[in-house]
Amino acid sequence: RALRESLRIDTLATINIDNDYGVGTVGALTGAFSSSGGTIALANTFAPGETDFRSILLKLRARPELPVYLAVYPTDGALLLKQARELGLTNRFIASVAIIGGREFFEVAGDAAEGLLVASTPPSTGSTFAERYAARFFEDTATTEIYTY
């Protein structure tokens, strides 16, 4: 709903890992997006462990205006974004919060992470948890820790 209402996206491409997380996330997104009048123009799935996303990304070259929703894990997402930028793609990438997963995402993605929009629901509570987490682990928490710790 936020993609249609807040970002005013009418047409979308999806790329997801072929496992319960990726298929489930894109399935839920596709259902909600389509029921609100949106269209999925391209849907692409890749096998777990895949490291070369160029064949999927080349399908986007002719559609630079098409936003791309990613249901991927940190390493997959970082490599995918790097390869997209290496190919000169200018599409807007949007991902579920699972893409971040920690510092390794940013270390691998580097500047290719610039402009990535991350979709998440903010925690209604968690400031006490965040303070305790930071005190124990000597780093700030991310949304994923608040929901999964």
Side-chain angles (χ1 to χ4, degrees), residues 16 19-31 69-72 95-96 98:
N16 66 280
N19 65 13
D20 289 345
Y21 160 72
V23 173
T25 299
V26 164
L29 171 91
T30 298
Y69 183 85
L70 305 174
V72 299
S96 68

Side-chain angles (χ1 to χ4, degrees), residues 56-65 84 86-89 91:
I56 292 173
L57 293 168
L58 286 172
K59 296 175 188 177
L60 297 169
R61 185 172 271 168
R63 304 284 308 268
E65 79 292 348
E86 288 167 0
L87 291 169
L89 297 181
N91 303 70

Side-chain angles (χ1 to χ4, degrees), residues 15 51 53 57 68-70 72-89 91-95 99-100 105-106 108-118:
I15 300 174
T51 58
F53 302 100
L57 293 168
V68 182
Y69 183 85
L70 305 174
V72 299
Y73 294 131
T75 302
D76 307 321
L79 291 172
L80 195 147
L81 290 172
K82 263 183 99 163
Q83 291 169 21
R85 299 308 179 221
E86 288 167 0
L87 291 169
L89 297 181
N91 303 70
R92 179 193 306 181
F93 287 90
I94 305 161
I99 195 172
I100 298 174
F105 168 77
F106 296 102
V108 174
D111 291 342
E114 186 68 34
L116 172 68
L117 298 176
V118 177

